[in-house]
Amino acid sequence: MADADGGKRYIFLDPDGTGSGQGWMFVIVAAPTGVIYQNQAGGFRCAQYQQEGYLVPVFGRDLDDDLKGIFVRELKGQGSRRMDWPADLLDRLRIAVAFYISVSTDGDDAFPTPLALDESRLSEVDEAWVPVVTPDGPGILVWENCD
């Protein structure tokens, strides 16, 4: 399969659901790595999205509580692709994705820097798939889909 697809490698995040309830969260920083990460997202639609790049873990307890509040409780697990975001919900999303991550392009210093919602890509936002701006450029914040 890799040869037929230009040598790309695919990694499915939690493909069998064994990570369910573990509280995992990652940022996929977009980069030409040859590694493509896929995540089930979109609430009950169970969409499969993918992004080439490298994976940065996000650590902490109950990381996705605010995001679940938005996507599961408020939006009822129906996903949000191409949604017209009401101002109050958009403000909550901005706050919910502002996790601090540590990355370093020079392999030396890695200062914790907050993620920011990539508002130029709001049409791509969905449950368990939120475009963000990282210290190294565009990325996607992913976590366990609610289905």
Side-chain angles (χ1 to χ4, degrees):
M1 168 125 179
D3 292 335
D5 197 16
K8 303 271 185 200
R9 298 286 188 243
Y10 291 82
I11 297 177
F12 301 90
L13 301 175
D14 196 25
D16 60 0
T18 55
S20 183
Q22 302 298 312
W24 59 268
M25 184 174 284
F26 302 104
V27 176
I28 307 166
V29 179
T33 62
V35 179
I36 298 173
Y37 294 93
Q38 295 182 326
N39 192 45
Q40 180 177 304
F44 298 123
R45 283 187 300 108
C46 297
Q48 297 293 323
Y49 298 133
Q50 62 184 30
Q51 174 66 55
E52 182 177 5
Y54 59 90
L55 203 64
V56 177
V58 180
F59 297 105
R61 294 183 149 234
D62 305 317
L63 292 173
D64 59 358
D65 281 355
D66 291 339
L67 293 164
K68 282 182 181 175
I70 295 168
F71 291 100
V72 177
R73 291 184 284 283
E74 184 84 22
L75 299 176
K76 311 271 189 260
Q78 299 303 310
S80 59
R81 197 74 162 189
R82 297 182 179 24
M83 182 175 111
D84 186 20
W85 285 82
D88 62 327
L89 203 54
L90 185 58
D91 286 341
R92 286 176 52 200
L93 184 60
R94 286 181 187 115
I95 293 166
V97 303
F99 292 102
Y100 280 80
I101 64 169
S102 296
V103 295
S104 173
T105 55
D106 64 6
D108 204 8
D109 296 323
F111 297 103
T113 307
L115 299 174
L117 178 64
D118 188 343
E119 298 191 34
S120 71
R121 299 168 56 200
L122 280 180
S123 65
E124 298 175 37
V125 172
D126 215 343
E127 194 228 346
W129 191 267
V130 177
V132 292
V133 178
T134 78
D136 285 348
I140 301 288
L141 180 66
V142 297
W143 65 96
E144 180 186 355
N145 190 40
C146 77
D147 79 317

